[in-house]
């Protein structure tokens, strides 16, 4: 199923997304996920609407965001880093999450703010120490897109990444969640800045697979429904400035578009 979270007259709601004449539409309202205390239940009749007419919200209110650094060979190389021997984890502040279309704000504290287009896993079931031979599929609710916005200068000067990755608005997410795709099969990921292609990769090149990531993370910390795991970015990261528009597309999910402002 594909679904989105959107602002209705009654408040945030979840909607099932299906194609009509090749365009995605919100077909019906779904019961809210238990981890989302703000969402309103489906009440009354719902008139289907095109997805691009809805006021989309980030598709999840994450408890935590566990990111993976350097999970594509060419991206590790472009920043002069070795390919890690095991997944490199860092946490991104949930307060940084913004909706599709919402503005990324360039902080006055940074001179270099980069986009990082990423496929993200959405956890759907509590996971602690997933076994080496255990099927990970039951723990995956679906996939979405994250732009792991990064203050590259502060990432270097701080020596660790909490501030550089955690500024308000540094985690655009959406436009929807789908369980109808398979990253192992190779999904094309493209990031455009003002229409120009900057990143063009495939999830087939992930160094650590979705299953390896879930095992590795859950060996250390319990994953809960609503947690989000951006899986790393391919080569081609670069800076954004006020006035730019950044778009991250992943095959089978859609396009996450955000303006950049001061
Ligand atoms: Zn990243």
């Amino acid at each position: 199923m594909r679904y989105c979270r959107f602002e209705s007259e009654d408040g945030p709601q979840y909607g099932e997304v299906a194609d009509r004449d090749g365009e995605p539409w919100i077909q019906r309202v779904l019961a809210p996920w238990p981890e989302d205390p703000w969402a309103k239940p489906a009440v009354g009749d719902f008139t289907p609407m095109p997805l691009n007419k809805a006021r989309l919200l980030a598709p999840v209110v994450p408890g935590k965001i566990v990111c993976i650094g350097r999970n594509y060979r060419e991206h590790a190389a472009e920043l002069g880093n070795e390919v890690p021997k095991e997944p490199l984890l860092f946490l991104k502040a949930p307060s940084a999450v913004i909706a599709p279309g919402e503005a990324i704000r360039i902080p006055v504290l940074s001179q270099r703010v980069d986009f990082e287009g990423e496929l993200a896993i959405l956890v759907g079931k509590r996971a602690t120490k997933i076994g080496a031979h255990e099927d990970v599929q039951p723990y995956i609710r679906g996939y979405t897109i994250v732009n792991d916005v990064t203050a590259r200068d502060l990432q270097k000067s701080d020596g660790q990444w909490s501030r550089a990755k955690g500024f308000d608005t540094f985690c655009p997410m959406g436009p929807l969640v789908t369980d109808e795709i398979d990253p192992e099969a190779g999904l094309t990921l493209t990031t455009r800045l003002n229409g120009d292609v900057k990143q063009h990769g495939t999830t087939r090149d992930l160094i650590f697979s979705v299953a390896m990531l879930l095992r590795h993370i859950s060996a250390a910390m319990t994953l809960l429904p609503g947690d989000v795991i951006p899986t790393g970015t391919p080569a081609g990261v670069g800076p954004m400035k006020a006035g730019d528009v950044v778009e991250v597309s992943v095959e089978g999910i859609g396009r996450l578009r955000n303006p950049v402002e001061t």
Side-chain angles (χ1 to χ4, degrees):
M1 185 176 69
R2 288 182 294 160
Y3 72 86
C4 66
R5 185 170 182 265
F6 66 104
E7 188 67 45
S8 74
E9 285 174 12
D10 302 313
Q13 290 191 310
Y14 292 88
E16 182 174 356
V17 176
D19 283 349
R20 283 190 175 191
D21 302 325
E23 291 297 317
W25 279 59
I26 303 177
Q27 295 286 27
R28 67 186 179 98
V29 173
L30 301 168
W33 294 102
E35 77 271 1
D36 181 351
W38 294 276
K40 300 286 183 273
V43 283
D45 291 334
F46 175 75
T47 308
M49 68 166 103
L51 191 67
N52 64 16
K53 293 278 189 296
R55 236 187 94 197
L56 288 182
L57 303 168
V60 57
V61 183
K64 60 182 173 293
I65 305 169
V66 189
C67 292
I68 316 299
R70 302 167 196 160
N71 201 17
Y72 288 83
R73 249 165 257 285
E74 288 171 14
H75 169 63
E78 75 178 342
L79 295 181
N81 295 307
E82 299 285 318
V83 170
K85 296 204 168 33
E86 56 179 10
L88 173 65
L89 307 187
F90 62 93
L91 293 168
K92 201 169 170 81
S95 47
V97 171
I98 57 170
E102 207 171 324
I104 298 164
R105 303 276 177 187
I106 303 287
V108 291
L109 296 170
S110 173
Q111 306 305 313
R112 163 91 192 223
V113 175
D114 283 9
F115 52 81
E116 293 190 358
E118 309 197 5
L119 171 79
I121 308 162
L122 173 55
V123 175
K125 186 182 162 192
R126 184 188 172 94
T128 306
K129 299 182 175 61
I130 299 174
H133 302 288
E134 191 180 348
D135 181 12
V136 300
Q137 285 306 322
Y139 300 107
I140 302 171
R141 186 184 293 163
Y143 299 94
T144 189
I145 302 171
V146 160
N147 188 342
D148 175 22
V149 178
T150 303
R152 197 67 72 200
D153 49 353
L154 302 182
Q155 185 185 24
K156 288 201 181 84
S157 61
D158 281 0
Q160 49 79 25
W161 307 357
S162 300
R163 183 167 68 141
K165 299 275 192 179
F167 279 94
D168 290 351
T169 75
F170 272 26
C171 194
M173 194 182 289
L176 50 76
V177 172
T178 178
D179 64 0
E180 296 172 355
I181 56 174
D182 176 15
E184 301 277 324
L187 307 169
T188 303
L189 186 157
T190 307
T191 305
R192 290 180 176 82
L193 190 67
N194 305 322
D196 297 335
V197 173
K198 298 292 185 183
Q199 295 187 284
H200 189 70
T202 165
T203 57
R204 202 182 293 119
D205 291 341
L206 284 171
I207 297 168
F208 302 106
S209 68
V210 165
M212 290 163 84
L213 295 177
L214 287 168
R215 288 198 185 95
H216 184 80
I217 298 166
S218 72
M221 61 187 92
T222 296
L223 288 166
L224 297 171
D227 286 351
V228 173
I229 305 169
T231 57
T233 199
V237 297
M240 304 178 287
K241 60 182 189 321
D244 287 345
V245 173
V246 62
E247 293 174 353
V248 185
S249 307
V250 175
E251 198 180 349
I253 303 179
R255 191 180 59 164
L256 172 64
R257 183 180 188 277
N258 297 87
V260 182
E261 295 175 13
T262 50

